[in-house]
Amino acid sequence: MPDIKRIGVITSGGDCGGLNAVIKGIAREAYALGIESVVIPHGYAGLYNLVKLESVVFLNAERVSRIEASLAGSEAGHSRVKISKIDDPDKYDRIKDGLKKFKIDALIISGGDDTGSVVVDLSSKGINCVHVPKTMDLDLQSYSVGGDSAINRIAVFTRELKTTGMSHNRILVIEVFGRYVGHTALRGGVGAEADCILIPEIPVDFNIVYEHMKTTFFARIERSDVKAGTYIIVVAEGIKNANGEMLYDESIPPDAFGHRKLAGAGRYVRQQLEKRLKSDSEVKDFMLRTGMFAPAVYEIPEVREVTPGHLVRSGHSSAFDVNFGYEAGAAAVLLLLEGKFGNTVVEVNGNHIYYQPTEKVIKRRGVDLKEIAIFETLGTCFGRKPQKFEYELIKVKGKIERHL
């Protein structure tokens, strides 16, 4: 077993719920085992510059007590830096010198697929580290801290926006984070009872979206005694059009990990709906029947896009993420002590700590499209022709894994 007396704690990539619980879980488990833990600030940028720091912050009892596990974000800070891309031929030796300077024997690093790829890189260079999965996108093979918090916030914001939608008879398009997968849009949208959910895994046929919107929205208003109604679309930032093309902000170059900035999904959906509303002769009759039509002023229902952006990853963490963060942080310490470097904490269940090589965990996991049909049978539109839910009954004999 390795002799570990001091652990460095790094959080990297995007902020999200549950990360402060990870930090506290690491610090408290280490303290219980007589091991020191310190913060390496600013993610991998901080790791690279560690050798230049005058001091590091020790996660002693007093400092840890000032960290709120229920708050999102990270007391350790973040950066989007890929170590291998740093223009310095001696970067790995520089990192090792920094760790030696502060007598740090091993690292616990919490982050998503990009962060995890650097964990694999550092491990291959002889730097001892363990990974705690963190990404609100939920695109790793395991559950990642931050996912549940983001889903709950998306659901809450979307539900609350229905009041403004009802007040103005608006069609609302809510664009949410998730990068190249639709987990947060799907789960948050279902949680808010959205009428339509658009995800990257399903190229969008906007004619189908429009017909679903028109049928649902018009009927909703005409049934109302005060002629009020709304229609809610939750759209993932990485949706694809019918040609399978994602929407990028061409003015912004890719980041260090090669990711283009996804932007404009909500605006694009709004424009597609507005174009169809303007060309549909039945819309004027609807507006006249419901008493909304005002020539040259209010001739079609209003479509608005709303982008909550970083609000979905800020604020408070869900109780689930605080629980997972504490457990995963503590388990990561135990993995280090067992010499399981280059691995990711997957789950703590009873007294079992499940782990997997980080290089396998960071492989992208998209939405399982076999599940989508069950929501389509319940009336939700996914921008395609509804499909029959093909199911199989399976009697549970033991433990089963459940990904959000």
Side-chain angles (χ1 to χ4, degrees), residues 117-390:
S117 69
V118 179
V119 170
V120 174
D121 179 35
L122 294 175
S123 296
S124 72
K125 300 298 190 295
I127 296 171
N128 298 333
C129 47
V130 162
H131 176 234
V132 174
K134 178 280 314 174
T135 171
M136 57 156 285
D137 302 330
L138 288 172
D139 57 354
L140 304 185
Q141 294 297 314
S142 65
Y143 177 75
S144 309
V145 71
D148 186 67
S149 297
I151 287 167
N152 278 281
R153 288 178 72 78
I154 289 169
V156 168
F157 291 144
T158 302
R159 281 197 303 269
E160 291 183 346
L161 280 167
K162 289 181 181 181
T163 61
T164 192
M166 289 283 289
S167 297
H168 296 273
N169 288 357
R170 283 177 180 151
I171 299 153
L172 295 179
V173 182
I174 297 95
E175 177 188 328
V176 299
F177 286 151
R179 200 181 283 179
Y180 306 118
V181 298
H183 295 291
T184 51
L186 171 62
R187 301 300 173 185
V190 170
E193 297 187 273
D195 300 298
C196 178
I197 302 170
L198 305 178
I199 59 177
E201 291 84 351
I202 301 175
V204 181
D205 184 328
F206 283 99
N207 290 327
I208 290 175
V209 173
Y210 179 73
E211 287 303 321
H212 186 272
M213 179 277 293
K214 178 180 171 182
T215 301
T216 306
F217 179 61
F218 285 16
R220 199 169 275 165
I221 290 177
E222 293 194 287
R223 284 196 306 267
S224 167
D225 59 351
V226 291
K227 298 296 180 278
T230 187
Y231 184 90
I232 303 293
I233 300 174
V234 173
V235 54
E237 62 179 343
I239 60 158
K240 299 173 183 174
N241 60 26
N243 296 324
E245 300 168 338
M246 278 190 171
L247 307 173
Y248 297 110
D249 187 334
E250 300 294 343
S251 67
I252 300 176
D255 66 16
F257 293 91
H259 299 305
R260 303 299 302 268
K261 180 173 175 56
L262 297 169
R267 181 175 65 251
Y268 185 77
V269 173
R270 172 180 59 78
Q271 291 169 343
Q272 291 297 314
L273 295 179
E274 285 178 336
K275 180 173 68 175
R276 287 164 174 79
L277 284 166
K278 289 175 182 176
S279 63
D280 187 344
S281 61
E282 294 181 3
V283 172
K284 181 178 179 180
D285 291 338
F286 162 74
M287 297 291 283
L288 287 167
R289 286 197 310 273
T290 54
M292 292 190 285
F293 188 79
V297 177
Y298 189 26
E299 296 187 348
I300 65 170
E302 187 176 13
V303 187
R304 287 284 187 95
E305 85 255 18
V306 180
T307 306
H310 289 78
L311 286 170
V312 305
R313 65 197 320 157
S314 62
H316 284 82
S317 304
S318 70
F320 184 92
D321 274 337
V322 172
N323 277 262
F324 181 84
Y326 268 131
E327 291 179 341
V333 175
L334 300 176
L335 279 190
L336 282 182
L337 296 182
E338 294 290 337
K340 303 298 184 184
F341 309 129
N343 285 292
T344 298
V345 177
V346 171
E347 183 185 9
V348 178
N349 194 311
N351 66 341
H352 295 152
I353 296 175
Y354 296 88
Y355 68 95
Q356 192 173 19
T358 302
E359 61 185 4
K360 293 185 178 180
V361 172
I362 61 176
K363 292 179 179 178
R364 186 182 300 165
R365 177 179 64 89
V367 170
D368 186 347
L369 295 184
K370 294 190 296 293
E371 187 181 2
I372 295 299
I374 196 169
F375 296 114
E376 289 176 323
T377 66
L378 303 177
T380 307
C381 176
F382 285 87
R384 69 178 188 182
K385 291 182 179 179
Q387 298 182 10
K388 181 181 178 182
F389 180 52
E390 301 287 351

